[in-house]
Amino acid sequence: MSDSFNTLRFPNPQGLKPGWFIGFGAVLIVLGILAALDTIATTLASMVVLGVLMIVGGVAQVMQSFAHRGLPLPNQWLSGLIGGLYILGGILLIEEPATGSIFITAILAGCLIFAGLARTFWAGGHRTNKSWIMLALSGLLTLVVGILLYMTLPWSGLWLIGMFIAVELLMAGFATMMFGFSLRNNT
């Protein structure tokens, strides 16, 4: 690359404050490290939060279902029943977060198994394409991950969601900090 490109500075017309991005990124990294240190607690806490959100959503659904007087009564009751199921699901997640996380992980494992099989078979049907083997390997890897998750239930259900949260926090933290540093270097 030319030296003129490396010395090129991009203005910050939005008035973004680099320090805020760097600080927020650091907070996300610390939270990610804490989440990674105890992925089981992170998983269980996330299930409780999800349960609370489901209850709030269910209450809103029930209120909304009966707020519209012009709808036919069966539609109102069906909408209210759906809201009630949300509330019940939220209560169950709060009461049994470990069971909820295992259930969600089992669903994820099933989705990965299905996606891996579908991608592998699809790649096999397109062997005339030069890159079909990479797609097939991708499908096989997804299939293996799904099978391993399923085979390690219930234990994988207790740590997997917490690990996903920890990785997301760490990645978002590093990306946010890097954005802040790039803003600082370009001002």
Side-chain angles (χ1 to χ4, degrees):
M1 281 202 242
S2 70
D3 289 329
S4 63
F5 181 80
N6 290 333
T7 59
L8 183 66
R9 300 230 183 246
F10 297 99
N12 182 0
Q14 296 90 7
L16 300 174
K17 296 175 175 46
W20 283 93
F21 287 97
I22 295 167
F24 183 62
V27 168
L28 289 176
I29 290 171
V30 169
L31 290 174
I33 291 170
L34 292 174
L37 290 175
D38 194 351
T39 56
I40 293 174
T42 303
T43 297
L44 298 178
S46 71
M47 291 297 104
V48 171
V49 169
L50 181 60
V52 169
L53 293 174
M54 286 180 69
I55 290 170
V56 169
V59 168
Q61 176 78 25
V62 169
M63 291 172 50
Q64 184 276 131
S65 69
F66 294 103
H68 305 287
R69 298 281 180 216
L71 289 175
L73 197 56
N75 290 358
Q76 285 180 331
W77 284 103
L78 181 61
S79 181
L81 175 65
I82 292 169
L85 290 174
Y86 267 86
I87 293 169
L88 178 63
I91 291 169
L92 290 174
L93 269 178
I94 292 170
E95 291 291 319
E96 291 290 336
T99 303
S101 68
I102 292 166
F103 181 74
I104 290 171
T105 303
I107 291 171
L108 176 63
C111 290
L112 289 172
I113 290 168
F114 177 78
L117 286 171
R119 191 175 306 134
T120 303
F121 286 124
W122 193 83
H126 292 84
R127 288 188 302 254
T128 57
N129 186 306
K130 292 179 184 178
S131 299
W132 78 273
I133 193 74
M134 290 304 295
L135 192 58
L137 288 174
S138 166
L140 288 173
L141 180 63
T142 302
L143 175 65
V144 167
V145 168
I147 290 171
L148 289 175
L149 279 178
Y150 183 76
M151 288 176 55
T152 58
L153 283 170
W155 307 116
S156 60
L158 295 176
W159 61 264
L160 181 72
I161 296 169
M163 185 57 69
F164 282 164
I165 292 169
V167 169
E168 163 56 23
L169 287 168
L170 288 168
M171 295 301 294
F174 283 117
T176 304
M177 279 186 76
M178 295 305 294
F179 183 75
F181 285 131
S182 71
L183 283 176
R184 179 183 284 169
N185 293 336
N186 290 324
T187 57

